């Protein structure tokens, strides 16, 4: 009996020791993090690059070290900022500061009108992006506030070591994709039905699109493939036709790539939704855009010989989309 009691006490001591050791590790890590935060004046002194918007300067998975004690962000400096209401840090370069400084004289440029942003305001942009970050900022916000929005400036980095964090951080994007998918399944737009191409892959969709009534594609059923990037919604999806179609805005090959203006990197907005993309794609079946075509010959035919275009479009629809 005594030996059993002794064994139980030993086991309890070992468990308690393990718990205390684990608590010590956590508290040490917490103190180190807080120490770094105080030393750098940054709420998050170490961050991971989550997207390819800063390539080639930084790649996805790079671990960045931040410093936030500088009085202002300089033009060309890479900073990390948070968008109000969102918890994903964005790593982009400062392309404009206020008050503005002349690059040659290094003197402050006086604003020409009273509507100029106040001091400590700045504008950012990803090196790999065409447009600046205005669309990424909070609603009604045209510039970042150096004191309120900036987490810190990049002072060093280690390549690729933070890639594990990306796997965890992609969950918010997956939540948005799952939400949009559920909305489309529950309340699909007219003539559109969606499903996952593979139940295990949230980024590949099959879209079944009915040819709009009154168009050359009426009574046709078209398979449209939608591929979402892991950086969605910060990067646009890719849309292609799995069913052959005679159309100036769809490549006449096995890829069936569709040219949509709203999907170009310089025109895509993170606030855009997949439902709008699909509705726009279906509307193109009614009103092609020959001036923004990927098939020049078909575009010319659409503009100059509409009857022949309609004839061929209907013929292809009967042959490929009504089988």
């Amino acid at each position: 009996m005594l030996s059993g009691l002794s064994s139980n006490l030993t086991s309890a001591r070992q468990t308690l020791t393990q718990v205390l050791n684990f608590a010590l590790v956590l508290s040490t890590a917490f103190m180190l993090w807080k120490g770094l935060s105080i030393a750098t004046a940054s709420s998050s002194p170490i961050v991971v690059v989550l997207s390819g918007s800063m390539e080639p300067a930084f790649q996805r998975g790079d671990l960045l070290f931040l410093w936030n004690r500088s009085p202002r962000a300089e033009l060309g400096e890479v900073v990390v900022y948070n968008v109000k209401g969102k918890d994903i840090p964005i790593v982009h370069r400062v392309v404009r500061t206020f008050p503005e400084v002349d690059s040659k004289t290094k003197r402050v440029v006086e604003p020409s009108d009273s509507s100029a942003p106040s001091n400590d305001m700045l504008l950012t942009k990803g090196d790999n992006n065409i447009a600046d970050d205005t669309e990424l900022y909070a609603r009604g916000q045209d510039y970042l506030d150096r004191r309120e929005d900036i987490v810190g400036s990049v002072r060093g980095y280690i390549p690729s070591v933070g890639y594990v964090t990306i796997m965890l951080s992609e969950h918010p994007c997956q939540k948005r994709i799952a939400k949009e998918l559920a909305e489309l399944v529950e309340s699909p737009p007219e003539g559109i039905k969606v499903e996952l191409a593979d139940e295990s892959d949230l980024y590949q969709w099959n879209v079944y699109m009915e040819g709009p009534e009154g168009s050359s594609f009426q009574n046709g059923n078209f398979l449209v493939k939608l591929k979402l990037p892991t950086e969605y919604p910060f990067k646009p999806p890719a849309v292609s036709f799995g069913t052959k179609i005679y159309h100036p805005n769809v490549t006449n090959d096995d890829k069936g790539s569709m040219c949509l203006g709203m999907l170009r990197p310089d025109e895509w907005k993170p606030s855009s939704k997949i439902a709008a993309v699909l509705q726009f794609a279906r509307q193109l079946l009614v009103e092609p855009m020959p001036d923004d075509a990927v098939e020049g010959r078909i575009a010319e035919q659409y503009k100059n010989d509409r009857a022949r275009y309609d004839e061929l479009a209907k013929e292809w629809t009967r042959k490929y989309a009504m089988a």
Side-chain angles (χ1 to χ4, degrees), residues 231-247:
E231 297 91 347
Y232 180 83
F234 300 106
K235 286 191 175 182
V239 178
S240 62
F241 269 73
T243 304
K244 288 184 71 67
I245 184 171
Y246 194 81
H247 196 286

